[in-house]
Amino acid sequence: VGKAVASEAADKGPGSASHISAIRSIAQHNQLGSLGIKGNKTRTVGGSHNPPPDAASAEYFAFLRQQQDLSKSHTRIDEAIQQLEQYRQERQSEVLKLRRSCVELLKDVEENSDWKLRSKYDIQQLIKDCNLSLQPTELSSDEQPELAGVDAVADSLESLKSKYNKALQYAPYKLTVDQALRRLSLLKNTLQDGNSDYTALSRVSDTLLVQFGANCELPTLEGLIQTNEETIDTCTSKVEDMRAKREAAVADGEVHIAEKLCYDIIDQYESLLDQVIIKSSTLAGAGNENEVMDQVRKEYHNAVPPVLEQQRTRQGKLRNRCEEDIKKMIALREKVEEVEAATAVKVQSEREASDKVLVANGERIQTVFVKMAELEQELEQLERERHREIQKRLSEKDKDEHRKAEYAKFCSTLEVHLTPLERTIKNADLMAHACDVFEELINSGFTEIGDDLHERGKLLKDVKLESHKEHVEVFRAVLLELGEIIYRKERMIEELDKKIQQAHVQQELLAETFNPNARKFGEMKKSLLASRDELEEDVEELKKRAEVALTRFRPTEIALNEAGVSFIHPVTEQEHHTTAMRAKMIEFKAMVAGHNKGSSALMDGIEQLQGELAAARTEIDSANADTTGMVSRAIPMIRASNKVRLGADN
């Protein structure tokens, strides 16, 4: 039985379950054989019954057979034991060899750490673990920055510069546009490091670019009134020429020519007055347009800070949330690193303890090999213990590698998520910097526009005031000319009234005696009456023309009074001029009547009156100093102002 079991165990190999079971069967069979047990029956080996001397009983023969069987069994047990010892020695060397191989395999397994295990840990799990506030979609992506809006602003400025570079209206903005282009170029180089879309921010400057273009499209003040000024200069030259001709005609006694020249002078003055009023109206319209442009500029400028502040606030909140998320991630990483360090120490200590266990296990295996015959079960138990320990080591190694993989994945995931957070912070800073640059650019542009509109409005007011002064001077000249002609016409009417009265008296005297010459005086009276009617019509027409000029002068009078410009009203001055002419005529009549200076109270009174009139004339000229010599001064004033402004800008 022992041989059969040992042979079967040897065929199945050492260390197997069949091998261990075979060893147990041999040991049990040997123990039963030593006790004399066979099957379910027990026989006593030490005693025997004496058979009768003359015969052998059946039990005896049975005893002998059993004795032979026992001897055979003992022999077989000895052989089985010898075979077991030989088998143990052979398998012991094999077991030691396998143990050394297992030690080397365990060492290779523990030294190999690049398992490249896949982990389910991702950014969403990191957000959940860290309680992060920002999702990956809210962070800046690793893309090229969108700078088309900044390029569009620069292109618009370049377009304005190329289109209006030689225009006078562009001069106040030249330095601002050049600085803006340089700032945008530097800003673009700075924003190349970011990843944000700056299109919306660039659109904030659209109103500035529109107003730049609108201001550059405004006509120059010189261009507005150039035609009027040329017409005024022409009319002034003609008036001076006609006055010289009228003085020559009066000196030569050509009164009809002088009268016609008076009407021509009045026509020229009225044309001059029309041009002055048209120029004032044009300047007033330009002033209103300038005020509208300034109001639009204020509205555009006031609308920019809220937009930029909103952008800054949003980027600031995003930056703060990113920083909070980074703090949470760093805090979690510190905790994980602490746990990882503690776990690594624990694994190392357990490994060292396991090494001690394996060493002790080897020592005990040597003892087991010495006592193999009695300690097969202990050998099996130790082998199982070793096997469990190895399995535990393998399981721990598996767990350790999984833990390292999870830790590496956690670190890589954290680094991956940390990059967009830092990139978002960087882009938030760049966006804030871009907001500052655009705010400075826009504020500078709108301020420059406001200053230019303010200077233009101020120049418009000054030029308009000068135009009103010019209106006063022209209106004064027109009114004086009209007053003088009306005075002369009225004097002619008075003379005609006297002639008509004389002709009427002569006609009545001659008609009383039926003198045929009465008809001649009647025809003379009719002719004089017709001439008187024509003169009255001329006077009425001249007075209407003076009334129209006076009506058109009232807005200028109001504007000058509001501006605090002192002047004597041309109506008062005309009345003074008429009084002076009357005094002069009285003096001539007195001289014709025989009154001489110094010998007549009438002449003394006339001289006193003329002195008073001369003093009044001096006071009038002094009061009218601010409104005299104002004709054709608008364009030189505009050119001087533009020269000063351009010189300051350069």
Side-chain angles (χ1 to χ4, degrees), residues 266-469:
I266 290 173
D267 292 337
Q268 290 298 326
Y269 269 125
E270 287 180 342
S271 299
L272 184 62
L273 188 61
D274 289 338
Q275 292 298 322
V276 171
I277 292 173
I278 291 172
K279 183 175 73 173
S280 298
S281 177
T282 303
L283 293 173
N288 294 334
E289 184 180 6
N290 192 78
E291 292 177 358
V292 171
M293 294 289 288
D294 191 37
Q295 183 64 30
V296 171
R297 191 268 312 172
K298 291 179 180 178
E299 292 178 0
Y300 283 165
H301 196 181
N302 293 334
V304 169
V307 176
L308 294 178
E309 187 61 28
Q310 181 182 5
Q311 185 68 251
R312 284 198 191 95
T313 302
R314 188 171 70 84
Q315 294 298 325
K317 290 181 179 179
L318 182 61
R319 176 187 173 85
N320 293 335
R321 292 173 68 188
C322 288
E323 291 176 349
E324 290 296 328
D325 285 357
I326 290 176
K327 290 179 181 177
K328 292 178 182 178
M329 290 169 57
I330 292 174
L332 179 61
R333 182 170 185 172
E334 291 176 353
K335 292 181 181 179
V336 172
E337 287 177 348
E338 292 176 1
V339 174
E340 174 64 19
T343 305
V345 172
K346 181 180 177 181
V347 170
Q348 185 64 30
S349 62
E350 290 179 352
R351 186 174 296 173
E352 293 175 357
S354 179
D355 290 337
K356 294 179 181 180
V357 171
L358 291 176
V359 172
N361 181 268
E363 294 175 354
R364 292 177 66 187
I365 286 293
Q366 294 299 327
T367 304
V368 169
F369 282 145
V370 175
K371 301 178 179 180
M372 182 63 75
E374 296 87 4
L375 302 175
E376 289 293 342
Q377 292 181 356
E378 186 178 358
L379 174 61
E380 180 183 0
Q381 184 64 29
L382 290 173
E383 184 64 26
R384 288 179 180 176
E385 179 183 349
R386 186 179 77 73
H387 181 69
R388 285 195 302 269
E389 191 65 29
I390 289 176
Q391 291 297 322
K392 179 182 175 183
R393 288 283 293 269
L394 293 174
S395 177
E396 289 175 354
K397 177 61 178 177
D398 181 73
K399 293 179 181 178
D400 184 56
E401 289 300 325
H402 278 83
R403 176 185 54 75
K404 288 182 179 179
E406 291 292 330
Y407 173 70
K409 180 63 176 179
F410 165 77
C411 292
S412 62
T413 303
L414 188 142
E415 292 296 334
V416 168
H417 192 60
L418 185 63
T419 299
L421 285 171
E422 292 176 346
R423 182 168 60 244
T424 302
I425 291 175
K426 178 181 178 182
N427 286 320
D429 294 338
L430 291 175
M431 182 66 74
H433 176 63
C435 289
D436 295 337
V437 172
F438 270 96
E439 182 179 21
E440 182 180 354
L441 186 150
I442 293 171
N443 288 340
S444 175
F446 277 120
T447 302
E448 192 66 37
I449 290 174
D451 294 341
D452 181 60
L453 291 175
H454 177 71
E455 292 295 329
R456 179 183 173 89
K458 183 178 178 182
L459 181 60
L460 279 170
K461 290 180 181 178
D462 294 341
V463 173
K464 187 177 180 181
L465 182 61
E466 294 299 323
S467 177
H468 287 312
K469 292 180 181 180

Side-chain angles (χ1 to χ4, degrees), residues 589-607:
K589 289 181 180 181
M591 292 174 64
V592 171
H595 296 279
N596 296 320
K597 295 182 179 180
S599 62
S600 172
L602 178 61
M603 294 299 292
D604 293 339
I606 291 173
E607 288 184 358

